[in-house]
Amino acid sequence: MNSFRNIVLIGFMGTGKTTVGKVLAEELDREFIDTDDYIELWVGMSIKNIFEKKGEAEFRKLEAELCKKFANPASKIISTGGGMIRNAQNMNLLKQGGKVFYLKSTPERIAYNLRYDTTRPLLAVEDKEAKIRQLLAERTPLYQKYADYTIDTENKTVREMAEKIIELSGVRK
Ligand code: S3P
């Protein structure tokens, strides 16, 4: 039964959703979908360019389309963009099809992980850490609301996080 439910990763930018998702997919021999990568391939533009040329609202529409596409219970590993939780319909669909794991991290750690990053349009501001704090404060209640399980990423390796998720999901290797 559990094998036919997606494993969905949510959390702020820079918390390791994509990296952990890839390890999970490898360990469990499942298909991996990263919603940002999928959208980039689909539109043929980087996320940064989509935000610049089409606007954030258009990007959010594409995210919503993807959720409809991948909502059915299946055995995929789905890593979502950090803002996916802003749309209740997206999260209701994703929750119908799988178990949701929230990768939780501190603003300091996120700022450190993203210190050289230039691919996140929402963080292309002068004071990146202040923006991270602001967005994280706004979004944390939503991450918590939709999470079936919370994974504290502090002091954990990617493999340890993946093992914890496998254990909690009840999926057998
Ligand atoms: C966003 C997070 C990004 C990407 C886009 C917007 C957000 O994904 O979807 O830049 O609103 O938090 P990651 O969480 O994979 O960085």
Side-chain angles (χ1 to χ4, degrees):
M1 172 71 183
N2 273 326
S3 304
F4 297 102
R5 292 182 68 82
N6 298 316
I7 290 178
V8 180
L9 304 181
I10 63 169
F12 202 80
M13 296 172 259
T15 53
K17 298 174 302 261
T18 304
T19 321
V20 173
K22 280 183 184 161
V23 171
L24 279 172
E26 194 185 288
E27 289 274 321
L28 296 171
D29 196 19
R30 286 175 165 217
E31 189 183 341
F32 174 63
I33 311 257
D34 178 276
T35 58
D36 286 336
D37 291 350
Y38 196 98
I39 289 172
E40 287 189 334
L41 280 174
W42 188 14
V43 182
M45 285 166 86
S46 67
I47 302 288
K48 197 171 167 216
N49 273 342
I50 298 174
F51 269 67
E52 267 171 31
K53 308 253 157 60
K54 296 175 179 276
E56 181 176 351
E58 187 58 33
F59 173 74
R60 300 297 173 196
K61 274 191 208 156
L62 295 167
E63 276 190 326
E65 282 304 307
L66 260 197
C67 286
K68 286 184 200 145
K69 198 172 164 68
F70 294 119
N72 289 338
S75 53
K76 294 181 173 54
I77 310 294
I78 304 178
S79 159
T80 61
M84 190 67 90
I85 40 78
R86 290 178 44 200
N87 178 324
Q89 197 193 4
N90 288 350
M91 291 313 300
N92 291 335
L93 285 168
L94 289 169
K95 279 178 82 73
Q96 272 168 32
K99 283 279 171 223
V100 176
F101 294 82
Y102 165 35
L103 301 196
K104 183 180 163 205
S105 194
T106 61
E108 294 79 17
R109 167 64 58 187
I110 292 167
Y112 180 80
N113 289 349
L114 297 178
R115 66 198 180 285
Y116 302 125
D117 180 76
T118 55
T119 65
R120 270 62 171 212
L122 294 181
L123 300 181
V125 294
E126 205 168 308
D127 191 345
K128 211 189 236 187
E129 188 160 343
K131 188 70 183 173
I132 290 170
R133 282 181 193 282
Q134 179 220 321
L135 286 175
L136 195 59
E138 283 168 25
R139 292 174 175 186
T140 298
L142 294 171
Y143 292 130
Q144 286 170 341
K145 172 177 170 185
Y146 294 117
D148 292 306
Y149 299 100
T150 297
I151 307 294
D152 192 342
T153 61
E154 205 60 28
N155 299 321
K156 280 200 191 68
T157 64
V158 168
R159 210 153 276 280
E160 282 167 347
M161 288 187 249
E163 287 304 329
K164 188 78 200 157
I165 292 170
I166 292 171
E167 183 193 315
L168 291 169
S169 69
V171 171
R172 277 185 218 96
K173 285 197 208 177

